[in-house]
Amino acid sequence: MTNFNDRERSEEKKFQLSKEQEFKATMRRNKLFAEWLAGEVGGDKTAIVDRVVDADFEKPGSDDVVAEAMAIAKEKGKSLSAEALNKKLDEYHIIAKQQVSKE
């Protein structure tokens, strides 16, 4: 019975670590993406990062991040497509996962 309990605890720790790394990678992705966005549209980088990161807590998935990025771009007189923004998000997610896995 002890082996089963040990194995169960081990799996729970792996799951918890996996979820924690996933969360960190998503937050890092959002930050990297927002920094890129600030460079593309101009403006206060810190404010743009805060808005994009906060937007991700509204709904599951990245649609809210893309919508916020499009709103920011529109405010700055720029036009960015959802497709282009999703592509950038995917690129930064790969980078963020690599960075988090090295920590």
Side-chain angles (χ1 to χ4, degrees):
M1 194 68 165
T2 304
N3 287 337
F4 179 75
N5 289 339
D6 290 344
R7 192 174 329 144
E8 184 178 25
R9 271 183 255 154
S10 175
E11 290 300 318
E12 287 173 357
K13 284 184 181 184
K14 279 189 213 177
F15 180 77
Q16 181 181 5
L17 180 60
S18 171
K19 288 297 180 186
E20 187 177 307
Q21 286 184 323
E22 186 179 319
F23 178 78
K24 285 181 181 180
T26 300
M27 290 301 104
R28 176 90 42 97
R29 174 204 69 181
N30 292 344
K31 183 178 180 199
L32 292 169
F33 173 74
E35 289 172 347
W36 167 82
L37 179 65
E40 288 292 304
V41 301
D44 181 12
K45 184 166 97 173
T46 303
I48 291 173
V49 169
D50 288 345
R51 281 180 63 181
V52 170
V53 169
D54 288 347
D56 196 32
F57 290 108
E58 292 175 18
K59 295 183 281 184
S62 59
D63 291 342
D64 45 352
V65 173
V66 171
E68 187 65 27
M70 290 177 77
I72 292 168
K74 187 176 180 182
E75 289 170 13
K76 302 293 183 185
K78 306 282 182 171
S79 177
L80 298 171
S81 71
E83 183 180 334
L85 294 171
N86 277 310
K87 185 176 178 184
K88 273 295 178 190
L89 268 178
D90 290 343
E91 290 173 17
Y92 284 118
H93 195 72
I94 292 168
I95 293 167
K97 280 176 150 179
Q98 291 170 342
Q99 289 177 354
V100 168
S101 71
K102 290 179 184 178
E103 292 179 350

